[in-house]
C-alpha cells in the first residue's frame, strides 16, 4: 500500500515551517513557490502461521498417517503419543465401540480422525452398535433421494458413536476389484445420480464423507488386496468410470480415497495410483480440479507390499500429492512415522507439499488458523520423551553411516556421530533413509528396495501400537 503526499500553493504556511523556513525568508509577493515532493510509504503485512506450519515435524508426520485397527483401544498408546493422526476401524466392532473411541482419544495432543467404512450391506463394521444399513445395490432399487435420506440418517447414528469420517459413498461402477455387490450399478451413468444425491446429504451430516475408490476399481482385473490390480486405460476411464467422481468433485466432495491400482496411459508400470504424481497431482487435482483431502487406500494391500515397504510407499505417496496415507500393522506405523519425520527434517519432502497435506488433514478435523494448545501439547510430549533415535540407512547404497537426531520441544536438531560426513555432502543426505528411486516387483513378493518391511500379506493390518505387541488385525487390508 502506498500514499503520495503533495504540497502546493495552499501549503505555503506549512512549507515555511521547520527545515523550509530559510527558503521563505524575504519573500514579499505572497507568491512563494514550493517544490512539489512525493513520498511513497510501503506498508507490509505478515500472515500469521497456521497450525500446519506451527506443528513440529513429528506432529506434521503424524497428521499424514492413519492406521487400521480392529478396535480403537489398540491405538490408545500411539494416539496419546501423537504418532498418528487417525484410525480406521476395520472388522466387526463391539457394541461398546463408543466407549472405546472415547477412551482411546481422550488424551491426544490433536483431535483424532476416526474413520470407518460403514457402507451397508455386507460392509457394516458397526452393526453391533447401530441399526442395519441396506447396501448400495438395495438402495439403488429406490430413488437417489431415498438413498440420500437413508445414508444421512445412518450417518447421524454413526457420528453419535464418536466416528467423524465415513469412508463412503462408493462411486465405483461394476463388481470387479473386490467390489462384489458394493456398488450402485455396473454403469457409471447410473451411479452418478446417486452420488449427486447422497454426497450432499452426507456433507450436511456431522461426518466427513470420503468418496472412493478413485479412479474407479469396478473393472479392475483383481482386488488390490491380493496383488497388482489394473483398470482400463485413462482414455477409457475419462468417458466412463471417472464420471461419477467428477460429479462428486462438482458437488463439493471434501475427501477422496485413491486406490492401489495401475492405470495404463497414466501410471508407470509397477506404480499404483497412490504413489503416482501423474495420477494425483496431474489427473485428480489438475484435470478434474479436486482441491480437497486425498487419502491413499491401505498401503498394506499386496498391490503395494509386493513392490515396496509401507513406509517407503507413504513417502512416495505424499510426494505425489497424497495428504493422508493409511497403513496397517504396528511395525508399519512406527516405520512410517519415523520415515516421514525424517523426510520432513531432511527436506526430502518439499516444505510446501508437507504443509499443504497437513493443512488439509487438519481442516478435515475442523482445525484452522493457529493451534497454540496443540503445539504446546506436542512440545510437552517431545520434552517428556526426549530421545536420540538412530536412523538406519534405508535404501540408499551411498549412505554415510548412522546419524542420530535429537528431538526436544518443537525443534529438531541433527547431531553428528563419530563418523564424519564426507566433504561436499549435504546434511540432509547424511540423515536420509532415502525413498526408492525405482519400484521393482520382486518375484518372492517382498520388497527389494531396502529398509524395514512388513509382511507382503495384506492381512497384517493390526495394532497401531509402536511397541508392536498390542494385537494384530485379521482384516484383509482393504480399508476402503
Amino acid at each position: 500500500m502506498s500514499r503520495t503526499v503533495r504540497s502546493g500553493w495552499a501549503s505555503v504556511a506549512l512549507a515555511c515551517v521547520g527545515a523550509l523556513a530559510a527558503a521563505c525568508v524575504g519573500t514579499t509577493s505572497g507568491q512563494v513557490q514550493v517544490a512539489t515532493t512525493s513520498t511513497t510509504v510501503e506498508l507490509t503485512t505478515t500472515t500469521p502461521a497456521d497450525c500446519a506450519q506451527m506443528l513440529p515435524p513429528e506432529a506434521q508426520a503424524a497428521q499424514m498417517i492413519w492406521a487400521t485397527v480392529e478396535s480403537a483401544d489398540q491405538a490408545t498408546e500411539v494416539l496419546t503419543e501423537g504418532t498418528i493422526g487417525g484410525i480406521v476401524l476395520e472388522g466387526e466392532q463391539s457394541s461398546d465401540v463408543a466407549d472405546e473411541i472415547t477412551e482411546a482419544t481422550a488424551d491426544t495432543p490433536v483431535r483424532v480422525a476416526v474413520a470407518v467404512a460403514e457402507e451397508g450391506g455386507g460392509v457394516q463394521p458397526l452393526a453391533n452398535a447401530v441399526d442395519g444399513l441396506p447396501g448400495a445395490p438395495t438402495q439403488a432399487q429406490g430413488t437417489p433421494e431415498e438413498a440420500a435420506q437413508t445414508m444421512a440418517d445412518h450417518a447421524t447414528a454413526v457420528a453419535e458413536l464418536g466416528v467423524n469420517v465415513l469412508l463412503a459413498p462408493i462411486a465405483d461402477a461394476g463388481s470387479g476389484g473386490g467390489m462384489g455387490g458394493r456398488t450402485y450399478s455396473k454403469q457409471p451413468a447410473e451411479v452418478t445420480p446417486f452420488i449427486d444425491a447422497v454426497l450432499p446429504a452426507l456433507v450436511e451430516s456431522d461426518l466427513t464423507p470420503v468418496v472412493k475408490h478413485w479412479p474407479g476399481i469396478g473393472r479392475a482385473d483383481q482386488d488390490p488386496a491380493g496383488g497388482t490390480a489394473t483398470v482400463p486405460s485413462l482414455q477409457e476411464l475419462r468417458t466412463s468410470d471417472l464420471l461419477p467422481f467428477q460429479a462428486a468433485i462438482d458437488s463439493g466432495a471434501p475427501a477422496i480415497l485413491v486406490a492401489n491400482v495401475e492405470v495404463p496411459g497414466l501410471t508407470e508400470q509397477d506404480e499404483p495410483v497412490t504413489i503416482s504424481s501423474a495420477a494425483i497431482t496431474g489427473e485428480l487435482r489438475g484435470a478434474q480440479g479436486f482441491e480437497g483431502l486425498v487419502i491413499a487406500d491401505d498401503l498394506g494391500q499386496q498391490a503395494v507390499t509386493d513392490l515396496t515397504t509401507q513406509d517407503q510407499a507413504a513417502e512416495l505417496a505424499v510426494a505425489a500429492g497424497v495428504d493422508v496415507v493409511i497403513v496397517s500393522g504396528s511395525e508399519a506405523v512406527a516405520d512410517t512415522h519415523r520415515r516421514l519425520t525424517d523426510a520432513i527434517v531432511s527436506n526430502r519432502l518439499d516444505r510446501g507439499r508437507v504443509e499443504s497435506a497437513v493443512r488439509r488433514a487438519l481442516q478435515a478435523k475442523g482445525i484452522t488458523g493457529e493451534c497454540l494448545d496443540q503445539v504446546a501439547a506436542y512440545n510437552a510430549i517431545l520434552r517428556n520423551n526426549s530421545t536420540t533415535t538412530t536412523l538406519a540407512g534405508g535404501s540408499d547404497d551411498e549412505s554415510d553411516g548412522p546419524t542420530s537426531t535429537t528431538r526436544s520441544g518443537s525443534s529438531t536438531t541433527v547431531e553428528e556421530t563419530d563418523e564424519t560426513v564426507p566433504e561436499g555432502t549435504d546434511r540432509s543426505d547424511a540423515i536420509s533413509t532415502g525413498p526408492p528411486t525405482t519400484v521393482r516387483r520382486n518375484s518372492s513378493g517382498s520388497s527389494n528396495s531396502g529398509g524395514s518391511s512388513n509382511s507382503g500379506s495384506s492381512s497384517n493390518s493390526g495394532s497401531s501400537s509402536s511397541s508392536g505387541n498390542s494385537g494384530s488385525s485379521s482384516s484383509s487390508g482393504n480399508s476402503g
Side-chain angles (χ1 to χ4, degrees), residues 67 105 109 121 289 303-304 349 384 438 455 463 469:
T105 60
V304 175
L349 284 173
N384 292 335
T438 59
S455 166
S463 157
N469 60 3

Side-chain angles (χ1 to χ4, degrees), residues 65-84:
I65 305 170
W66 294 358
T68 62
V69 291
E70 282 188 314
S71 62
D73 52 15
Q74 289 181 339
T76 302
E77 181 180 350
V78 287
L79 287 174
T80 302
E81 292 176 348
T83 305
I84 58 175

Side-chain angles (χ1 to χ4, degrees), residues 315-343:
E315 183 176 339
L316 292 172
V318 173
V322 166
D323 302 313
V324 168
V325 298
I326 299 175
V327 298
S328 57
S330 57
E331 181 181 340
V333 170
D335 289 346
T336 301
H337 181 258
R338 181 166 50 247
R339 187 180 188 88
L340 290 185
T341 300
D342 177 48

Side-chain angles (χ1 to χ4, degrees), residues 228 270 302-309 438-450 453 456:
T228 301
D270 290 340
Q302 196 170 334
V304 175
T305 59
D306 275 355
L307 303 174
T308 187
T309 58
T438 59
V439 179
R440 302 181 185 277
R441 179 172 303 287
N442 188 313
S443 59
S444 65
S446 61
S447 167
N448 63 356
S449 54
S453 171

